[in-house]
Amino acid sequence: MSEVLVEVKNLKKYFPTSEKDKVVKAVDDVSFQIFKGETLGVVGESGCGKSTTGRLTLKLLEPTSGSVSFKGQDLSGLKKKDMRALRREMQIIFQDPYASLDPRKTVFQILAEPYQIHHPNMPREEIYENVTKLIDCVGLRPEHIYRYPHEFSGGQRQRVGIARAIALNPEFVVCDEPVSALDVSIQAQVINLMQDIKKEFNLTYMFISHDLRIIKHFCDRVMVMYLGNIVEIGSKEAIYEKRRHPYTQALLSAIPNIKSKDKGERILLTGDIPSPVNPPSGCPFHPRCSQCMEICKKEKPCLRTMADGTQVACHLQLS
């Protein structure tokens, strides 16, 4: 049995609205585990709660309720000082390489900052040596450390962001759509870089993306989210081949397959995604589900574990 690095239990995040007694249920009672050394992919439509879940996992956002444990330690009870020390082991790569880097600082200043915060007595010569190693590790040249973010391309900026994330040798990194803002040709380079870094630094990734092909290529397990809920979670083989949940079936039917003559039937969902302010009763997916039963409208399904270990939140007895 693999070692559990991160454990999330009954996690909720509700945001207040301008209307009294109404909240946005961004994440609504999710529970999952991330095992050491794996890459857990998180996929779903925009607004399903992927990024919020990632930030809650790192305690960048305070949950409404529920708990997150890292290496068996509950993060909810930690003081600010203790949490700051733990930041060395938990990092994030942001989606937008243009907004995530301080435009007033050079690359050296950006990459030196983690050492200055967490190792205040480290000599400048050692910091410089570490920064040059980081730059080389992510495929940039030594002279790049004197440049400002606006002097780089999007792919180069994201490489700087990756270097910053691994500066303190973390164990766990949340990757919040790290290639979605990049050109397709650059996406492949950054994904390959992240795979190499994962092996070199023995990292565990939580990889958030809406690109189903990247998730299939990059991840070991896949978690499918819809309207703040987990609808299916399991190995990528089980998710992509068996597709037990109707939402997973619809989502994966959108992947173009140019190699196969059998294109497969595209499942088109009718209607709009319900509002997280006023989610439907019962199964959150039932208003758009072609296989909806009466029980789906009344009772919210819990995650059921199938014979192969996949968990599915669906009243249909799919196996």
Side-chain angles (χ1 to χ4, degrees):
M1 185 66 180
S2 301
E3 178 185 347
V4 175
L5 186 68
V6 178
E7 184 166 19
V8 173
K9 291 183 179 179
N10 306 114
L11 199 61
K12 296 181 181 181
K13 182 60 180 179
Y14 298 165
F15 293 100
T17 66
S18 56
E19 297 183 53
K20 187 178 180 181
D21 299 328
K22 287 193 175 182
V23 294
V24 175
K25 296 183 177 181
V27 177
D28 196 13
D29 198 14
V30 302
S31 299
F32 60 93
Q33 295 177 326
I34 302 176
F35 301 105
K36 189 171 184 178
E38 77 166 346
T39 299
L40 174 68
V42 185
V43 67
E45 294 171 281
S46 296
C48 71
K50 305 186 299 293
S51 294
T52 303
T53 301
R55 284 167 166 74
L56 289 168
T57 304
L58 291 178
K59 210 186 176 187
L60 295 178
L61 290 173
E62 287 293 335
T64 302
S65 64
S67 66
V68 178
S69 297
F70 178 71
K71 297 199 293 187
Q73 185 175 20
D74 188 352
L75 303 186
S76 58
L78 290 182
K79 296 179 180 179
K80 189 175 181 179
K81 180 181 178 182
D82 297 327
M83 191 64 222
R84 188 176 188 181
L86 201 59
R87 293 282 177 217
R88 288 176 289 188
E89 302 181 61
M90 307 170 71
Q91 288 292 321
I92 185 170
I93 300 170
F94 293 99
Q95 175 181 0
D96 188 353
Y98 296 90
S100 62
L101 302 177
D102 189 336
R104 299 166 298 179
K105 293 183 178 181
T106 64
V107 168
F108 176 79
Q109 291 172 318
I110 290 169
L111 297 183
E113 194 171 26
Y115 301 108
Q116 293 165 347
I117 292 173
H118 293 280
H119 303 286
N121 297 322
M122 182 178 288
R124 182 178 174 84
E125 293 76 15
E126 188 176 348
I127 292 176
Y128 178 83
E129 184 180 341
N130 288 334
V131 169
T132 53
K133 286 180 181 178
L134 283 174
I135 284 294
D136 180 65
C137 186
V138 298
L140 295 176
R141 298 193 300 273
E143 60 267 27
H144 285 150
I145 66 173
Y146 301 111
R147 296 183 184 177
Y148 289 87
H150 73 271
E151 300 179 82
F152 292 101
S153 67
Q156 289 174 321
R157 291 189 199 192
Q158 196 60 294
R159 288 172 186 266
V160 175
I162 293 170
R164 180 177 59 185
I166 64 172
L168 298 171
N169 293 311
E171 287 191 54
F172 176 55
V173 179
V174 171
C175 312
D176 187 9
E177 303 201 40
V179 297
S180 64
L182 307 178
D183 292 340
V184 174
S185 59
I186 305 301
Q187 286 182 1
Q189 297 176 18
V190 174
I191 287 294
N192 290 335
L193 170 65
M194 292 178 66
Q195 285 181 318
D196 293 340
I197 286 174
K198 181 177 186 288
K199 294 177 184 177
E200 183 176 348
F201 290 85
N202 298 314
L203 295 173
T204 301
Y205 283 147
M206 180 179 182
F207 190 88
I208 299 165
S209 179
H210 61 265
D211 193 315
L212 300 165
R213 290 170 297 178
I214 290 178
I215 288 282
K216 185 177 183 180
H217 169 73
F218 191 67
C219 301
D220 303 305
R221 288 194 305 136
V222 180
M223 184 168 80
V224 184
M225 293 190 69
Y226 181 81
L227 203 66
N229 296 265
I230 298 171
V231 297
E232 189 166 359
I233 181 170
S235 68
K236 69 177 178 184
E237 292 79 15
I239 297 294
Y240 279 80
E241 293 172 14
K242 296 188 177 180
R243 309 182 182 192
R244 290 182 170 97
H245 196 283
Y247 177 65
T248 306
Q249 295 167 10
L251 198 66
L252 298 184
S253 74
I255 303 176
N257 189 350
I258 60 175
K259 293 183 179 180
S260 174
K261 293 181 180 179
D262 180 18
K263 303 294 182 184
E265 184 179 351
R266 174 75 186 274
I267 302 173
L268 297 176
L269 297 177
T270 58
D272 297 323
I273 301 175
S275 170
V277 177
N278 187 27
S281 60
C283 175
F285 184 61
H286 89 257
R288 306 175 74 195
C289 182
S290 61
Q291 305 176 62
C292 176
M293 303 180 293
E294 199 60 35
I295 189 175
C296 302
K297 301 176 183 178
K298 300 175 182 178
E299 185 180 327
K300 186 176 180 178
C302 60
L303 285 169
R304 294 188 179 95
T305 303
M306 304 290 111
D308 62 356
T310 303
Q311 292 181 295
V312 187
C314 185
H315 290 300
L316 295 168
Q317 297 301 309
L318 301 176
S319 58

